[in-house]
Amino acid sequence: AESKLGHGSQFYFTLPAVEPMGVRSALTGMKILVVDDDIGAKALMAHLLNGTGAKIDFAENGFKALAFAKASNYDLILMDIEMPGMSGIATALRMKQDGIQTPVVAFTNANISKIKERTPEKTFADFVSKAMPPQRLVEHLHMWYARPS
């Protein structure tokens, strides 16, 4: 604790991380493709999903995402929207044209309602903010994995 007369006090403490039982292990066997050109975003996703039991692949652009999605069966694709070369929207549309059935979830820092306005219907299975708290994101991924085929 720190205290300064006339300025108030600051208290510091550490809480142990607590997560609902079974959520992380419930991703065991799930195969996810994360498509993002931002190195920091990929590092954050790798850290967040490490230990969930999910198998994670990373692609840094839409062209590589298409190659990965054609070569392997994923349970879910998390797609950044703003990427150089081929945007996430263009990549998701191309995946649909190429017959890729994997659900593609827009994963973005952008305003989701504005993204929805400029995106053809059914391009994305869902829209998720990168600002979503980590535990909620893991729970959201679990929801997709738990859906019947």
Side-chain angles (χ1 to χ4, degrees):
E2 296 176 8
S3 184
K4 284 187 179 179
L5 187 60
H7 292 282
S9 300
Q10 290 184 327
F11 298 89
Y12 304 93
F13 56 92
T14 304
L15 296 174
V18 176
E19 60 188 52
M21 286 187 57
V23 171
R24 285 187 169 259
S25 63
L27 298 182
T28 298
M30 185 176 193
K31 194 167 181 184
I32 302 169
L33 175 61
V34 177
V35 185
D36 204 315
D37 62 314
D38 183 276
I39 293 169
K42 288 191 288 189
L44 179 65
M45 289 304 294
H47 175 74
L48 173 64
L49 296 173
N50 184 31
T52 63
K55 164 89 171 80
I56 311 299
D57 288 330
F58 292 93
E60 63 265 8
N61 61 53
F63 300 105
K64 289 189 178 179
L66 284 167
F68 273 90
K70 288 176 183 177
S72 188
N73 285 330
Y74 291 96
D75 296 299
L76 187 70
I77 299 171
L78 286 176
M79 179 81 66
D80 185 27
I81 298 297
E82 304 295 333
M83 295 184 293
M86 185 187 304
S87 74
I89 295 170
T91 304
L93 287 169
R94 178 71 183 274
M95 287 178 173
K96 297 260 188 250
Q97 291 171 353
D98 290 352
I100 296 166
Q101 300 294 315
T102 305
V104 180
V105 174
F107 189 58
T108 182
N109 280 324
N111 181 310
I112 289 177
S113 60
K114 290 188 182 205
I115 296 295
K116 286 180 178 181
E117 287 174 8
R118 68 178 200 184
T119 303
E121 193 174 338
K122 296 186 181 180
T123 300
F124 294 105
D126 202 357
F127 295 81
V128 175
S129 170
K130 288 183 180 178
M132 180 181 279
Q135 186 60 43
R136 280 200 45 223
L137 178 60
V138 171
E139 290 167 357
H140 199 79
L141 295 175
H142 176 255
M143 175 196 75
W144 276 101
Y145 194 46
R147 286 185 182 196
S149 299

